[in-house]
Amino acid sequence: MKFFLDTADLNEIEEAASWGALAGVTTNPTLYSRVGGKLEDFHDHIKRICDIVGPDCPVSAESVAMNRDELVRDGRQLAAIAPNVVVKIPTMIDGLAATRALADEGIRVNMTLCFTVPQAMLAARAGARYISPFIGRFDDISEDGIEQVANIVDAVSNYDFTADTVGGEQIEVIAASIRSANHVTQCALMGADIATVPFGVLKKMVSHPLTDRGIESFLNDWEKVK
Ligand code: E4P
């Protein structure tokens, strides 16, 4: 399982990248507005994220266009920022059409706001390199987000979509809208390829009270050795 950071905050990305376990970054319009981002700086901001994480880490940048042609135009511009930019497109008819066009040009797409198995199957056939089903937003409407995402992970693994993706790359499911370390546990058990997590959750994933207590007692006992 790989970990992406779900943020547009450069400090968080720098910090998480320094921990050595970061494999990518996902952003969205809400996350960008949360860090005070402005439209005219968006491409520069994505470039800065790409520079921080390096060329091997995919960075998802979302288009807010609503029709195929504008999505494709936007997608080309976003992909031109850096080779590791992945164009994030919502699951909708024009989004599927744009994904097919971009994939045919060798541009990777992360199909986002995916909630059902049929949506995921269509995204995969349209050439999406990544599919992002959301957990927390299902929980928010009193449905079992983990179960829904597990269904998508299962369904995607039933088929070989490599003929559809850019360069025949293996499609990967990004478990998104993660709200807790327990969500990450469930994602690992279901076999999700990637979990994209907010920085707060990433920090919680590292720690456990028994780990803290163990470190403290080792340090105390080491004092006795001195
Ligand atoms: C993923 O790519 C999305 O940006 C993100 O996980 C959405 O999470 P939220 O439901 O907490 O906004």
Side-chain angles (χ1 to χ4, degrees), residues 6-7 26-31 34 60 62 88 110 112-113 132-137 140 174-179 196-198:
D6 198 25
T7 186
T26 51
T27 68
N28 66 34
T30 303
L31 295 171
R34 211 175 272 166
S60 288
E62 188 156 347
K88 208 172 177 192
N110 172 1
T112 189
L113 289 167
S132 291
F134 280 36
I135 297 172
R137 294 193 191 191
D140 290 345
I174 306 177
S177 189
I178 285 181
R179 306 274 166 80
T196 189
V197 296

Side-chain angles (χ1 to χ4, degrees), residues 26-30 42 46 59-66 71 74 78 85-91 110 112-113 134:
T26 51
T27 68
N28 66 34
T30 303
F42 182 55
I46 295 296
V59 174
S60 288
E62 188 156 347
S63 171
V64 292
M66 282 294 121
L71 282 162
D74 224 14
L78 290 169
V85 167
V86 174
V87 181
K88 208 172 177 192
I89 294 181
T91 310
N110 172 1
T112 189
L113 289 167
F134 280 36

Side-chain angles (χ1 to χ4, degrees), residues 71-143:
L71 282 162
V72 171
R73 195 175 58 222
D74 224 14
R76 286 179 186 140
Q77 288 171 357
L78 290 169
I81 296 171
N84 50 329
V85 167
V86 174
V87 181
K88 208 172 177 192
I89 294 181
T91 310
M92 56 184 185
I93 291 170
D94 282 69
L96 290 170
T99 297
R100 179 75 275 155
L102 291 168
D104 286 347
E105 293 179 19
I107 294 172
R108 291 174 184 80
V109 171
N110 172 1
M111 186 130 269
T112 189
L113 289 167
C114 180
F115 289 93
T116 68
V117 169
Q119 285 180 317
M121 294 292 102
L122 286 169
R125 274 302 169 223
R129 171 62 176 79
Y130 301 94
I131 300 175
S132 291
F134 280 36
I135 297 172
R137 294 193 191 191
F138 255 129
D139 292 350
D140 290 345
I141 59 160
S142 304
E143 289 205 33

